[in-house]
Amino acid sequence: MGEHGAMAIPLNGRGRLEPTAFRWRFRRNVPYVPSPVLYQGVFYMAKSGGIVTTLDPATGALRKQGRASGAPGDYYASPVAGDGKLYLVSQEGKVSVLKAGAEWEVLAVNDLGDECTATPALSNGRLFVRTRGSLWGFAGRQ
């Protein structure tokens, strides 16, 4: 059985890799369902409880770990990033907007009032979020 965690391996790795082949491994507060995202040189992970972890993608060094205040629930949707922001959506339908960066900060939390497990989508400057009963589209000020 494999080990749970985030890890970096060389692109030329093949077959069974020896422990020394891994560039780095990180095993704490790793999400069970949501995929991580790499954006502007920062590796982001979000897990249930609203715990957001940022790592240096080259070394695996922890940059920041904390809660996205105002949206502690379960997370199944993967985070997405664009326009200098990271977007997280909890199962309860709370959309957290974080200022992107190793030292991220919560800019806003918006409650859609409906269950959401789907990963949001970004297209042409818009954020699309599908909840159980609706499809939401958000655009910045034009």
Side-chain angles (χ1 to χ4, degrees), residues 6 26-31 36-37 42-47 50-56 60-68 79 86 88 98 101-102 104:
F26 189 85
R27 295 186 175 111
R28 297 175 304 158
N29 288 322
V30 176
V37 64
V42 179
F43 186 84
Y44 298 88
M45 296 184 289
K47 70 172 278 183
I51 298 171
V52 179
T53 302
T54 52
L55 304 175
D56 179 319
L62 177 64
R63 294 300 190 201
K64 181 176 180 178
Q65 192 167 72
R67 290 191 189 274
L86 185 75
L88 313 170
L98 280 60
W104 55 268

Side-chain angles (χ1 to χ4, degrees), residues 31 33-37 46 75-81 86-89 117-121:
V33 177
S35 297
V37 64
Y75 284 76
Y76 295 99
S78 298
V80 294
L86 185 75
Y87 301 92
L88 313 170
V89 182
T117 55
T119 297

